[in-house]
Amino acid sequence: MALMDKHKQVKRQRLDRICEGIRPPILNGPMHPRPLVALLDGRDCTVEMPILKDVATVAFCDAQSTQEIHEKVLNEAVAALLYHTITLSRDDLEKFKSLRIIVRIGSGFDNVDIKAAAELGIAVCNVPAASVEETADTSVCLILNLYRRVTWMHQTLREGTRASSVEQIREVAAGAARIRGETLGIIGLGRVGQAVALRAKAFGFNIIFYDPYLPDGVERSLGLQRMATLQDLLIHSDCVSLHCSLNEHNHHLINDFTIKQMRQGAFLVNTSRGGLVDEKALSQALKEGRIRGAALDVHETEPFSFTSGPLKDTPNLICTPHTSWYSEQASVEAREEAAREVRRAITGRIPDSLKNCVNKEYLMASQWPTIEAATVHPELNGATYRFPPGLINVAAAGGLPGAGPGVESLVPGTLAHGIAPVSHPPHAPSPGQPTKAEADRDIPSDQ
């Protein structure tokens, strides 16, 4: 018996040495506060709180960088929830002293350095399924808009143009094209790519796709035509739609060289990630007429503005502000699933209990400690931590929208602040993420 106890002690010491320097141990037991879960770049955690309030303290930071995050969160947060408006590099991740899990509320995770996170002992998860329908519907909407030129006709009427004769109608609707028989090329046949293909078929498109990471036979099960190379797809497509995630292999997948491989007068749609498209090359191609029209929901620098950047004064271009993922239902579903993933981490084991861990293969093969809840502090749920100096109690002055009664809110004296432009890091994917990240081939972004 004594020998078994000694063996367990040695094994425990060995495990402690493995974990030493990765993350400090989480203190469990009734004498310590419950795990702290922080929503980094949002100010409303009313959806997450009902799922987590019995096992964790939930706080929000409303930050756009780690410099805006309160020291308490950096020191004590065990889990972090985030959208696409904050970036976590290795330097940012090293500021967190107790972090065990990051959950991206959405499918894209290119704003988190997942390899560095794994080396620091932090699991990174995403929510790949919540906005599949919304992103696919938006993609098809943009494709139809390019073919039928609805946006430009609307603008023409708003500017006072009247189209009463056949000749005037021809002039106003010039460029509108028939869809039936056109070839739609999809790059990245993940969840959203497949949903777009099924929808586009109903409009009479011939569908082809390129995705080197899908197993053979997928094209037959879906009744689609597979292209062996990206060049083959570009040559044969009348419209190209991007549905792959952004990684280190495909930054500026659409550039001056690949644009020249596209058919003269083809359309381009991107609802995936802004870094996939070289905006300078796209702007030049649109001005020269090599590309007939383009529709972008995502951009290299966000938030996007027509008043600056390479797309300023570019003709035949539709832009939306990274909203293809959004509907009220999808937003709530994504937040609920993200909170459930955090709950699985707290009540189970990391990474074994996680449903959508995207850096699992990078994590060390050591046994991970279980995160346990301790005493209940319901008054702390929904608290916010941001700048230490000049804090005020907003709840006493009316509170924040959606925060609910009794939510403690500690924020700077001024709440209104613009979202700083987020320049996507130069990561880049091969069209369609490797199998390990196949779930995130869609985007959303958030995103």
Side-chain angles (χ1 to χ4, degrees), residues 309-331:
L311 295 177
K312 181 181 179 181
D313 301 324
T314 300
N316 296 318
L317 177 65
I318 300 172
C319 289
T320 52
H322 201 150
T323 52
S324 63
W325 63 275
Y326 183 81
S327 73
E328 188 62 35
Q329 299 94 320
S331 177

Short mmCIF file of all heavy atoms in Angstrom, two decimals, residues 309-331:
data_model
loop_
_atom_site.label_atom_id
_atom_site.label_comp_id
_atom_site.label_asym_id
_atom_site.label_seq_id
_atom_site.Cartn_x
_atom_site.Cartn_y
_atom_site.Cartn_z
N GLY A 309 -7.78 53.60 -48.32
CA GLY A 309 -7.36 52.25 -48.66
C GLY A 309 -7.34 52.01 -50.16
O GLY A 309 -7.78 52.85 -50.96
N PRO A 310 -6.87 50.84 -50.57
CA PRO A 310 -6.70 50.54 -52.00
C PRO A 310 -8.01 50.43 -52.77
O PRO A 310 -8.01 50.54 -54.00
CB PRO A 310 -5.96 49.20 -52.00
CG PRO A 310 -6.22 48.61 -50.66
CD PRO A 310 -6.35 49.74 -49.72
N LEU A 311 -9.14 50.23 -52.09
CA LEU A 311 -10.42 50.08 -52.79
C LEU A 311 -11.16 51.40 -52.96
O LEU A 311 -12.28 51.41 -53.49
CB LEU A 311 -11.30 49.07 -52.05
CG LEU A 311 -10.78 47.63 -52.01
CD1 LEU A 311 -11.69 46.74 -51.18
CD2 LEU A 311 -10.61 47.07 -53.41
N LYS A 312 -10.56 52.49 -52.53
CA LYS A 312 -11.19 53.80 -52.69
C LYS A 312 -11.38 54.10 -54.18
O LYS A 312 -10.48 53.88 -54.99
CB LYS A 312 -10.30 54.87 -52.05
CG LYS A 312 -10.85 56.27 -52.14
CD LYS A 312 -9.91 57.27 -51.50
CE LYS A 312 -10.46 58.69 -51.62
NZ LYS A 312 -9.54 59.69 -51.03
N ASP A 313 -12.58 54.54 -54.54
CA ASP A 313 -12.93 54.92 -55.92
C ASP A 313 -12.86 53.74 -56.89
O ASP A 313 -12.72 53.92 -58.10
CB ASP A 313 -12.00 56.04 -56.43
CG ASP A 313 -12.06 57.30 -55.58
OD1 ASP A 313 -13.17 57.60 -55.09
OD2 ASP A 313 -11.02 57.95 -55.39
N THR A 314 -12.98 52.52 -56.38
CA THR A 314 -12.98 51.35 -57.27
C THR A 314 -14.38 51.11 -57.81
O THR A 314 -15.35 51.06 -57.04
CB THR A 314 -12.51 50.10 -56.50
OG1 THR A 314 -11.19 50.32 -56.00
CG2 THR A 314 -12.51 48.87 -57.39
N PRO A 315 -14.55 50.95 -59.11
CA PRO A 315 -15.89 50.76 -59.70
C PRO A 315 -16.37 49.31 -59.56
O PRO A 315 -15.58 48.40 -59.30
CB PRO A 315 -15.67 51.11 -61.17
CG PRO A 315 -14.24 50.71 -61.43
CD PRO A 315 -13.49 51.02 -60.14
N ASN A 316 -17.68 49.14 -59.75
CA ASN A 316 -18.30 47.80 -59.80
C ASN A 316 -17.93 46.95 -58.58
O ASN A 316 -17.62 45.77 -58.69
CB ASN A 316 -17.89 47.07 -61.09
CG ASN A 316 -18.41 47.77 -62.32
OD1 ASN A 316 -19.55 48.23 -62.36
ND2 ASN A 316 -17.56 47.90 -63.33
N LEU A 317 -18.01 47.58 -57.42
CA LEU A 317 -17.63 46.90 -56.18
C LEU A 317 -18.73 47.05 -55.13
O LEU A 317 -19.22 48.16 -54.89
CB LEU A 317 -16.32 47.49 -55.64
CG LEU A 317 -15.82 46.95 -54.30
CD1 LEU A 317 -15.45 45.48 -54.42
CD2 LEU A 317 -14.63 47.77 -53.80
N ILE A 318 -19.13 45.93 -54.53
CA ILE A 318 -20.07 45.93 -53.42
C ILE A 318 -19.31 45.54 -52.16
O ILE A 318 -18.60 44.53 -52.15
CB ILE A 318 -21.23 44.92 -53.65
CG1 ILE A 318 -22.01 45.28 -54.92
CG2 ILE A 318 -22.16 44.88 -52.45
CD1 ILE A 318 -23.03 44.22 -55.31
N CYS A 319 -19.45 46.32 -51.10
CA CYS A 319 -18.79 45.99 -49.84
C CYS A 319 -19.80 46.03 -48.69
O CYS A 319 -20.63 46.93 -48.63
CB CYS A 319 -17.66 46.97 -49.55
SG CYS A 319 -16.23 46.79 -50.63
N THR A 320 -19.71 45.06 -47.80
CA THR A 320 -20.50 45.03 -46.58
C THR A 320 -19.54 44.85 -45.40
O THR A 320 -18.43 44.33 -45.56
CB THR A 320 -21.54 43.90 -46.61
OG1 THR A 320 -20.88 42.67 -46.92
CG2 THR A 320 -22.60 44.17 -47.67
N PRO A 321 -19.94 45.26 -44.18
CA PRO A 321 -19.00 45.35 -43.06
C PRO A 321 -18.85 44.08 -42.22
O PRO A 321 -19.08 44.09 -41.02
CB PRO A 321 -19.58 46.50 -42.24
CG PRO A 321 -21.05 46.37 -42.44
CD PRO A 321 -21.23 45.90 -43.85
N HIS A 322 -18.43 42.96 -42.86
CA HIS A 322 -18.19 41.70 -42.14
C HIS A 322 -19.43 41.30 -41.36
O HIS A 322 -19.39 40.99 -40.16
CB HIS A 322 -16.99 41.82 -41.20
CG HIS A 322 -16.39 40.50 -40.82
ND1 HIS A 322 -15.06 40.34 -40.53
CD2 HIS A 322 -16.96 39.27 -40.69
CE1 HIS A 322 -14.82 39.07 -40.23
NE2 HIS A 322 -15.96 38.41 -40.32
N THR A 323 -20.55 41.24 -42.06
CA THR A 323 -21.82 40.91 -41.41
C THR A 323 -22.49 39.67 -41.99
O THR A 323 -23.62 39.36 -41.63
CB THR A 323 -22.80 42.09 -41.56
OG1 THR A 323 -22.89 42.47 -42.95
CG2 THR A 323 -22.34 43.29 -40.75
N SER A 324 -21.81 38.97 -42.89
CA SER A 324 -22.45 37.82 -43.54
C SER A 324 -22.79 36.73 -42.53
O SER A 324 -23.70 35.92 -42.77
CB SER A 324 -21.54 37.24 -44.63
OG SER A 324 -20.34 36.74 -44.08
N TRP A 325 -22.11 36.69 -41.41
CA TRP A 325 -22.34 35.66 -40.39
C TRP A 325 -23.56 35.95 -39.52
O TRP A 325 -24.07 35.08 -38.83
CB TRP A 325 -21.13 35.58 -39.45
CG TRP A 325 -20.88 36.84 -38.69
CD1 TRP A 325 -20.18 37.93 -39.12
CD2 TRP A 325 -21.36 37.18 -37.38
NE1 TRP A 325 -20.17 38.91 -38.16
CE2 TRP A 325 -20.90 38.48 -37.08
CE3 TRP A 325 -22.13 36.50 -36.44
CZ2 TRP A 325 -21.19 39.11 -35.88
CZ3 TRP A 325 -22.42 37.14 -35.24
CH2 TRP A 325 -21.95 38.43 -34.97
N TYR A 326 -24.05 37.20 -39.56
CA TYR A 326 -24.96 37.64 -38.52
C TYR A 326 -26.43 37.41 -38.83
O TYR A 326 -26.94 37.71 -39.90
CB TYR A 326 -24.77 39.13 -38.22
CG TYR A 326 -25.66 39.59 -37.08
CD1 TYR A 326 -25.29 39.37 -35.77
CD2 TYR A 326 -26.88 40.20 -37.33
CE1 TYR A 326 -26.10 39.75 -34.71
CE2 TYR A 326 -27.72 40.58 -36.29
CZ TYR A 326 -27.32 40.36 -34.97
OH TYR A 326 -28.14 40.72 -33.95
N SER A 327 -27.13 36.89 -37.86
CA SER A 327 -28.57 36.99 -37.67
C SER A 327 -28.76 36.89 -36.17
O SER A 327 -27.86 36.42 -35.45
CB SER A 327 -29.34 35.86 -38.38
OG SER A 327 -29.16 34.63 -37.70
N GLU A 328 -29.86 37.35 -35.66
CA GLU A 328 -30.07 37.30 -34.22
C GLU A 328 -29.99 35.86 -33.71
O GLU A 328 -29.37 35.58 -32.68
CB GLU A 328 -31.44 37.90 -33.87
CG GLU A 328 -31.68 38.06 -32.37
CD GLU A 328 -30.69 39.00 -31.72
OE1 GLU A 328 -30.28 39.99 -32.36
OE2 GLU A 328 -30.31 38.74 -30.56
N GLN A 329 -30.58 34.94 -34.50
CA GLN A 329 -30.55 33.53 -34.09
C GLN A 329 -29.13 32.98 -34.09
O GLN A 329 -28.71 32.31 -33.14
CB GLN A 329 -31.43 32.68 -35.02
CG GLN A 329 -32.89 33.07 -35.03
CD GLN A 329 -33.22 34.04 -36.14
OE1 GLN A 329 -32.45 34.97 -36.44
NE2 GLN A 329 -34.37 33.83 -36.78
N ALA A 330 -28.37 33.27 -35.15
CA ALA A 330 -27.00 32.76 -35.24
C ALA A 330 -26.12 33.33 -34.15
O ALA A 330 -25.27 32.63 -33.57
CB ALA A 330 -26.41 33.08 -36.62
N SER A 331 -26.30 34.61 -33.84
CA SER A 331 -25.50 35.25 -32.81
C SER A 331 -25.73 34.59 -31.45
O SER A 331 -24.77 34.27 -30.72
CB SER A 331 -25.85 36.74 -32.73
OG SER A 331 -25.14 37.36 -31.68
#
